Amino acid sequence: MMKKLRGILLSMTAVIVLLSLGGCGTKVNTKSPEKITKSLIEAYTKTDENAVKKCFGMDKKDKVSSELKTEIKHYMTLFEAYDAKSVKFTKCESLGSFNGYELMYAIYTLKKEDSESKTTLEIPCLSVYYVQNNNKKYSIVQAKDVTEEMSENSKKEFQKFMKTDEYKTYEKDYKQFTRKNPSYEEELTNLLEQTET
């Protein structure tokens, strides 16, 4: 059970909260919960700070709070550790509404080029975020704004989600990936520890 939880946490570290970045100009689409969720993951993958801020409902010139800076730094470090060149989405849907917020999940594959073996690693990932609607423009809810009630709701909805075919397929894909790449989780953990110390 602990190994299963570790795998889930590692692959979804981009969860519910969901970073000092470079930038390749990610297009941010705020027109729906699905589109803003995908935009955030793409912005992380491309290490595009301005796009990440926009996904949180901020403009380029807006001052970022210390809490959001920490959140952004953590997740940018994670995505940089993945070292993915592209992202492909399998599914992005709602797990339900709660007090006016939409709880979104995304299942996606990060593609990483392995220069040593000259192959492409396809890393199955899962992320969960709360999304809010501000005058028909959607944005990701910052971790500091996720209340205890929202957190409890997300746990309850995620437990239900774990019984679905979508989740079981993701879990199977992730297990196959780790079987083929047994050192991957440890290498990722070590890399994250080095960059965060």
Side-chain angles (χ1 to χ4, degrees), residues 59-76:
D59 289 325
K60 202 190 294 190
K61 62 185 180 298
D62 289 344
K63 190 171 176 0
V64 179
S65 69
S66 60
E67 294 96 338
L68 184 56
K69 270 186 192 168
T70 302
E71 182 176 346
I72 288 173
K73 183 171 185 271
H74 172 76
Y75 289 104
M76 285 310 296

Side-chain angles (χ1 to χ4, degrees), residues 7-79:
I8 291 166
L9 289 173
L10 198 60
S11 60
M12 343 169 2
T13 304
V15 175
I16 299 176
V17 289
L18 277 151
L19 282 192
S20 325
L21 339 186
C24 303
T26 309
K27 186 172 174 8
V28 174
N29 190 325
T30 62
K31 292 182 179 174
S32 73
E34 295 83 4
K35 287 178 177 170
I36 195 64
T37 301
K38 288 181 176 182
S39 290
L40 181 63
I41 292 164
E42 285 169 351
Y44 285 151
T45 304
K46 293 178 181 177
T47 60
D48 186 338
E49 180 175 11
N50 291 330
V52 171
K53 283 173 67 177
K54 195 170 180 183
C55 291
F56 282 107
M58 303 178 77
D59 289 325
K60 202 190 294 190
K61 62 185 180 298
D62 289 344
K63 190 171 176 0
V64 179
S65 69
S66 60
E67 294 96 338
L68 184 56
K69 270 186 192 168
T70 302
E71 182 176 346
I72 288 173
K73 183 171 185 271
H74 172 76
Y75 289 104
M76 285 310 296
T77 301
L78 174 67
F79 275 77

Side-chain angles (χ1 to χ4, degrees), residues 69-100:
K69 270 186 192 168
T70 302
E71 182 176 346
I72 288 173
K73 183 171 185 271
H74 172 76
Y75 289 104
M76 285 310 296
T77 301
L78 174 67
F79 275 77
E80 284 172 351
Y82 281 133
D83 193 27
K85 298 302 171 219
S86 64
V87 58
K88 180 183 171 193
F89 292 94
T90 307
K91 205 95 170 169
C92 184
E93 291 183 354
S94 173
L95 290 175
S97 297
F98 181 76
N99 290 351

Side-chain angles (χ1 to χ4, degrees), residues 46-173:
K46 293 178 181 177
T47 60
D48 186 338
E49 180 175 11
N50 291 330
V52 171
K53 283 173 67 177
K54 195 170 180 183
C55 291
F56 282 107
M58 303 178 77
D59 289 325
K60 202 190 294 190
K61 62 185 180 298
D62 289 344
K63 190 171 176 0
V64 179
S65 69
S66 60
E67 294 96 338
L68 184 56
K69 270 186 192 168
T70 302
E71 182 176 346
I72 288 173
K73 183 171 185 271
H74 172 76
Y75 289 104
M76 285 310 296
T77 301
L78 174 67
F79 275 77
E80 284 172 351
Y82 281 133
D83 193 27
K85 298 302 171 219
S86 64
V87 58
K88 180 183 171 193
F89 292 94
T90 307
K91 205 95 170 169
C92 184
E93 291 183 354
S94 173
L95 290 175
S97 297
F98 181 76
N99 290 351
Y101 298 97
E102 204 70 31
L103 182 62
M104 300 298 301
Y105 80 91
I107 296 174
Y108 53 99
T109 303
L110 290 175
K111 296 191 174 187
K112 175 184 176 175
E113 303 297 325
D114 188 335
S115 54
E116 282 181 30
S117 64
K118 295 186 179 171
T119 58
T120 301
L121 287 180
E122 296 195 348
I123 309 158
C125 297
L126 172 65
S127 297
V128 182
Y129 306 88
Y130 270 112
V131 171
Q132 59 193 342
N133 185 350
N134 302 312
N135 300 320
K136 297 185 180 175
K137 280 180 82 174
Y138 291 89
S139 62
I140 304 294
V141 177
Q142 296 179 34
K144 71 178 181 65
D145 297 327
V146 174
T147 65
E148 202 171 311
E149 274 186 316
M150 290 165 75
S151 185
E152 284 303 312
N153 176 68
S154 65
K155 285 178 195 168
K156 183 183 76 178
E157 293 304 326
F158 195 77
Q159 282 172 347
K160 286 190 221 166
F161 175 58
M162 287 172 78
K163 295 173 184 166
T164 66
D165 289 341
E166 287 87 356
Y167 180 82
K168 287 174 184 171
T169 301
Y170 155 75
E171 188 178 40
K172 185 177 128 213
D173 291 345

